[in-house]
Amino acid sequence: MFNKDRWKEILEVLTGNWFRTVLTAFGVFWGIFILILLLSAGKGLENGIMQDFGDIATNTMFMWSRATTKAYKGLPKGRSFLFNTDDVEAIREKVPNLRFISPRNQLGGFGGANNVVRGLKTGAYNVYGDYPEIIRQDPMSIIDGRFINYSDINERRKVAVIGEGVKTGLYDNDEQVLGTYIKIQGVNFMVVGVYKKKSNNGDGEEGQKQIFVPFTSFSQAFNRGDDVGWMAITANDGTSITSIKNDIMAVVKENHKVHPDDQRAVGHFDLYEQFQRVQSLFTALRFIAYFVGILVLLSGVIGVSNIMLIVVKERTKEIGIRRALGEDPWSIKLQILMESLFLTIISGMAGITFGALFIYGINTLLDMNGPVDMFANPSVGLGVVMGALAILIVSGLLAGFIPAQSAIKVKPIDALRTE
Amino acid sequence: MIEIKELHKSYKMGANSLHVLKGLNFSIKEGELVAIMGSSGSGKSTLLNILGMLDEADSGEYTLDGVPIKNLNETKAAKYRNKFLGFVFQSFNLINYKSALENVALPLYYQKVPRKQREEKALKYLEQVGLKEWAEHLPNELSGGQKQRVAIARAMAAEPKVLLADEPTGALDSKTSYEVMDLIQKINDQGNTILVVTHEEDIAHMCKRIVHLKDGVIVEDKKVEQVRASQYV
Ligand SMILES: Nc1ncnc2c1ncn2[C@@H]1O[C@H](COP(=O)(O)OP(=O)(O)O)[C@@H](O)[C@H]1O
Ligand SMILES: [Mg+2]
């Protein structure tokens, strides 16, 4: 089947009319090129957006209190309230399948006034009162010292973990950081650790300019009593936070005498839901890529089939001669099929190769010019390439099938008579 | 070698039907050189195509070397053609993108003879028709006579039981015609059975027997004194 003569003949036929062969091949080339390109662009977008999510635990929601919008149990609407530490305990008790419940308090903020002083240097940073679990929800790597622990919480130690950006702002280059003191709104905290957050996008800068202190010390130092500013709540794997967030909010509503149907009294941001939404966007993009790519490819395949039909027609007489000399009809069919398959695969491979080169070029450009928002490292996996090849083989066979059939449909005597 | 009985063939064209062969009977023994004579349209080619299994008769019997030829599927017909028959056509029917040698080797390729043997054998037959030096040439680099000699070499390469030639000299001038007939006579001298369709008297008389076809029936079937073509070459 794969003997030398067969290949020689395939090449003879395909090179017999270069222009036509190349034109035909281009259809398939283009189809697979587009497919690869669309898929890799989709992947690039996905990589970019996933980077924005960073390492954050995606099965997480954030929850904060707002003013009520419904009167309830004798209390008027428009009433403000704050979460407190009892809420945390109540949630822990009443809602199962929760992994972390981190109450948080916060000082400072974007563009706020300078709130941290060290010697002559000052800076404006976000300061958080946190529990040790927060590092599991909003991952960061400790590059020096340690993070907050439960001894800090229980003994209300005035310790702080600062970001790399804080370090560069408040310290000289080769200065020892651990054990030094910084003054946060007039209260001294000892630095026990330095963290760095993994994030390559634009928000990265801000992420490195935070200071974490124990929740209890924060409350004491800044007179927050048992108030809780907001909470970061992560569900166990296997339970989506989206499915239990209403239970959680119901608990705090009950604690604070908020009408159960008051939708606006408790604000929340459901990271998991956002994440799912983005995920389904990627799925849709992939679907579109395959749809468009395969349609373009299909038109290429139809082109191949058409040309093969013409080739067969042109060779009717030759096929008649060969049959008169005793060539098996199956052998003729196989010949046509292989010609079509060969043409499809070669041009498809060229498309894949060019697609890969193109992607490589784009990546090089991206690397040279620094990161771009929402787009990173476009690529296609080996699986996609294998899939494309499989599609090519199937389409090559399909393209050759009708021409091959028509090649042996004519009776040899009629084939011989044609001029 | 060949035996036909009550062979009928008609062509249907729309509502009409043209009865071309109206019950032919004859038999040809091994080693014969038979001319099938008749004016244009008398059904000579039709007969030869049926004998060559390129076409099928409507009714009647056909036996080739003791094998009844009936209801063949295409695969089987191809195999029989390859094994039993060699064709020579008026228009040569060489494959134009293949060299003389490759053309001659084709029937052997279909028999799955290994490449080297195939080429040796093809070259041997090309030598027999005096075209060894032209082996690598493409058909369009050959003259008409040369083309027909390549076609004859190709027909003989698979060592068929019967050689069928439809007006082999029809497209050639008389000198080349005689050269081709000389070749055919020599092949016949080696004991091969040959049928030559022609409408030319002189060509017919270079055979050993003439079957005369007229309006779809055999009007005459006679042995003749063979005129050797070599004396004209
Ligand atoms: N495929 C065909 N369809 C219809 N008529 C045909 C076909 N082939 C041959 N004929 C007719 O059959 C008759 C005999 O043809 P043919 O055998 O080719 O004659 P010859 O070879 O003796 O000149 C002619 O009248 C021709 O027109
Ligand atoms: Mg004829």
Side-chain angles (χ1 to χ4, degrees):
Chain A
M1 171 171 167
F2 293 104
N3 59 37
K4 197 175 154 196
D5 303 271
R6 180 80 69 197
W7 283 112
K8 184 163 177 271
E9 187 144 335
I10 290 173
L11 291 179
E12 271 168 355
V13 169
L14 292 181
T15 54
N17 192 335
W18 264 115
F19 184 66
R20 187 168 70 187
T21 304
V22 169
L23 218 61
T24 312
F26 189 75
V28 174
F29 169 89
W30 194 234
I32 214 88
F33 183 76
I34 297 257
L35 178 65
I36 296 273
L37 229 58
L38 287 177
L39 283 176
S40 78
K43 189 74 193 169
L45 196 65
E46 183 173 341
N47 287 342
I49 289 177
M50 293 318 256
Q51 232 168 48
D52 280 0
F53 272 98
D55 284 339
I56 212 157
T58 47
N59 202 7
T60 297
M61 72 179 281
F62 304 101
M63 184 170 75
W64 57 93
S65 56
R66 296 201 292 214
T68 59
T69 58
K70 278 192 162 86
Y72 188 56
K73 290 192 174 168
L75 294 165
K77 68 176 185 179
R79 177 177 59 97
S80 293
F81 67 99
L82 278 175
F83 295 154
N84 55 42
T85 43
D86 291 342
D87 293 328
V88 179
E89 288 317 310
I91 293 170
R92 214 183 297 270
E93 237 165 66
K94 290 180 184 160
V95 185
N97 285 324
L98 289 179
R99 193 162 165 213
F100 306 119
I101 307 168
S102 299
R104 309 187 76 182
N105 276 312
Q106 184 179 352
L107 265 185
F110 295 102
N114 286 343
N115 54 0
V116 182
V117 181
R118 177 176 179 262
L120 295 175
K121 296 187 174 175
T122 57
Y125 303 108
N126 287 312
V127 181
Y128 297 100
D130 262 313
Y131 273 86
E133 284 88 9
I134 197 70
I135 197 170
R136 311 278 293 273
Q137 293 169 291
D138 183 11
M140 50 194 115
S141 34
I142 300 299
I143 53 174
D144 201 3
R146 63 174 179 85
F147 195 66
I148 299 162
N149 59 33
Y150 267 97
S151 305
D152 300 334
I153 297 282
N154 294 335
E155 296 170 21
R156 302 176 185 223
R157 289 182 190 148
K158 302 255 178 344
V159 293
V161 177
I162 64 173
E164 255 199 327
V166 179
K167 185 186 161 192
T168 38
L170 298 181
Y171 292 82
D172 291 333
N173 247 349
D174 43 2
E175 220 172 335
Q176 174 63 37
V177 177
L178 299 185
T180 61
Y181 284 85
I182 54 175
K183 208 171 254 186
I184 303 171
Q185 288 199 346
V187 182
N188 268 322
F189 283 82
M190 188 175 77
V191 177
V192 293
V194 180
Y195 77 86
K196 181 186 161 119
K197 278 189 188 171
K198 192 171 85 188
S199 179
N200 304 323
N201 64 332
D203 312 335
E205 196 91 343
E206 204 56 44
Q208 318 298 350
K209 287 188 177 171
Q210 295 165 347
I211 298 173
F212 293 88
V213 304
F215 183 84
T216 46
S217 338
F218 185 102
S219 304
Q220 193 179 48
F222 306 116
N223 286 323
R224 294 295 174 92
D226 58 359
D227 289 350
V228 170
W230 45 298
M231 298 187 209
I233 304 174
T234 303
N236 279 330
D237 291 348
T239 307
S240 78
I241 193 74
T242 311
S243 67
I244 53 176
K245 66 182 180 189
N246 283 329
D247 299 344
I248 296 168
M249 291 189 283
V251 171
V252 291
K253 281 177 188 170
E254 196 192 323
N255 278 1
H256 294 275
K257 298 198 173 65
V258 174
H259 194 288
D261 294 336
D262 191 341
Q263 299 297 337
R264 304 202 25 96
V266 179
H268 78 278
F269 181 82
D270 182 345
L271 201 58
Y272 184 77
E273 200 176 51
Q274 299 302 320
F275 189 71
Q276 290 302 311
R277 203 167 287 164
V278 171
Q279 288 287 13
S280 60
L281 172 76
F282 295 141
T283 310
L285 277 182
R286 242 189 317 270
F287 175 77
I288 291 171
Y290 270 110
F291 186 73
V292 172
I294 284 178
L295 273 191
V296 178
L297 186 64
L298 189 69
S299 77
V301 168
I302 291 173
V304 171
S305 194
N306 243 325
I307 290 294
M308 291 311 296
L309 265 178
I310 294 175
V311 167
V312 164
K313 196 146 193 84
E314 279 176 0
R315 292 170 72 195
T316 304
K317 174 130 189 176
E318 180 202 323
I319 291 170
I321 298 169
R322 289 161 56 148
R323 292 174 73 183
L325 296 179
E327 179 167 13
D328 192 312
W330 274 101
S331 163
I332 292 171
K333 239 173 132 164
L334 188 67
Q335 175 78 29
I336 307 288
L337 268 181
M338 284 181 68
E339 278 168 25
S340 142
L341 200 58
F342 182 72
L343 183 62
T344 314
I345 289 181
I346 287 292
S347 37
M349 295 284 256
I352 292 175
T353 310
F354 268 77
L357 282 178
F358 194 87
I359 294 166
Y360 181 78
I362 294 280
N363 272 320
T364 315
L365 267 177
L366 281 178
D367 286 349
M368 269 167 26
N369 298 328
V372 176
D373 224 17
M374 304 231 287
F375 198 80
N377 187 27
S379 57
V380 286
L382 194 65
V384 171
V385 172
M386 288 297 161
L389 255 163
I391 293 174
L392 281 176
I393 291 173
V394 172
S395 27
L397 286 175
L398 281 180
F401 189 75
I402 295 173
Q405 204 58 34
S406 88
I408 60 164
K409 204 175 56 200
V410 189
K411 284 204 304 182
I413 181 67
D414 296 324
L416 276 170
R417 262 198 215 103
T418 55
E419 274 316 318
Chain B
M1 179 61 65
I2 288 178
E3 184 143 11
I4 55 172
K5 279 188 189 141
E6 283 304 311
L7 208 64
H8 283 267
K9 174 78 182 176
S10 37
Y11 291 113
K12 281 151 208 73
M13 286 169 299
N16 308 26
S17 147
L18 183 65
H19 203 169
V20 180
L21 301 181
K22 303 168 182 165
L24 303 187
N25 297 285
F26 65 66
S27 70
I28 294 169
K29 282 190 272 302
E30 195 171 346
E32 278 198 275
L33 174 54
V34 182
I36 297 173
M37 277 277 287
S39 55
S40 180
S42 55
K44 308 183 293 292
S45 297
T46 303
L47 172 60
L48 204 74
N49 290 336
I50 291 170
L51 295 180
M53 295 175 228
L54 293 171
D55 206 350
E56 249 184 310
D58 297 336
S59 64
E61 282 170 33
Y62 169 26
T63 320
L64 176 62
D65 197 28
V67 181
I69 306 300
K70 192 103 190 147
N71 299 328
L72 298 181
N73 64 31
E74 251 313 309
T75 307
K76 196 134 198 186
K79 195 177 268 166
Y80 279 8
R81 283 198 289 271
N82 187 259
K83 225 163 72 173
F84 293 150
L85 302 168
F87 290 96
V88 177
F89 303 94
Q90 178 174 357
S91 53
F92 323 126
N93 282 350
L94 298 178
I95 292 177
N96 53 26
Y97 63 87
K98 289 186 187 293
S99 70
L101 186 74
E102 286 171 328
N103 263 287
V104 176
L106 268 183
L108 299 168
Y109 173 46
Y110 302 144
Q111 286 181 356
K112 303 192 168 58
V113 176
R115 185 183 192 83
K116 206 159 161 59
Q117 261 168 276
R118 202 159 79 211
E119 282 180 355
E120 274 167 21
K121 212 163 178 183
L123 204 61
K124 189 183 96 186
Y125 279 97
L126 269 182
E127 190 171 13
Q128 274 187 21
V129 300
L131 290 174
K132 194 181 176 185
E133 280 71 44
W134 297 82
E136 297 307 324
H137 286 252
L138 290 177
N140 59 16
E141 297 162 346
L142 304 175
S143 72
Q146 286 173 324
K147 280 185 203 166
Q148 199 57 299
R149 273 146 63 193
V150 172
I152 291 171
R154 181 177 70 182
M156 294 309 296
E159 290 161 2
K161 296 193 185 305
V162 178
L163 186 66
L164 301 172
D166 193 351
E167 314 239 15
T169 62
L172 305 174
D173 60 48
S174 54
K175 185 172 174 297
T176 9
S177 294
Y178 295 145
E179 282 170 12
V180 165
M181 282 314 291
D182 182 37
L183 192 58
I184 287 175
Q185 283 178 341
K186 280 178 181 150
I187 292 168
N188 176 245
D189 291 343
Q190 291 165 7
N192 292 297
T193 314
I194 305 177
L195 262 81
V196 178
V197 163
T198 181
H199 62 269
E200 293 166 272
E201 280 292 340
D202 54 342
I203 299 296
H205 279 90
M206 289 175 177
C207 300
K208 295 173 175 167
R209 172 181 163 191
I210 299 177
V211 174
H212 210 121
L213 219 57
K214 194 177 179 192
D215 295 332
V217 290
I218 296 172
V219 290
E220 191 182 29
D221 185 347
K222 63 175 181 192
K223 289 232 155 59
V224 291
E225 193 60 40
Q226 188 183 37
V227 178
R228 294 303 292 196
S230 53
Q231 58 191 302
Y232 300 105
V233 194

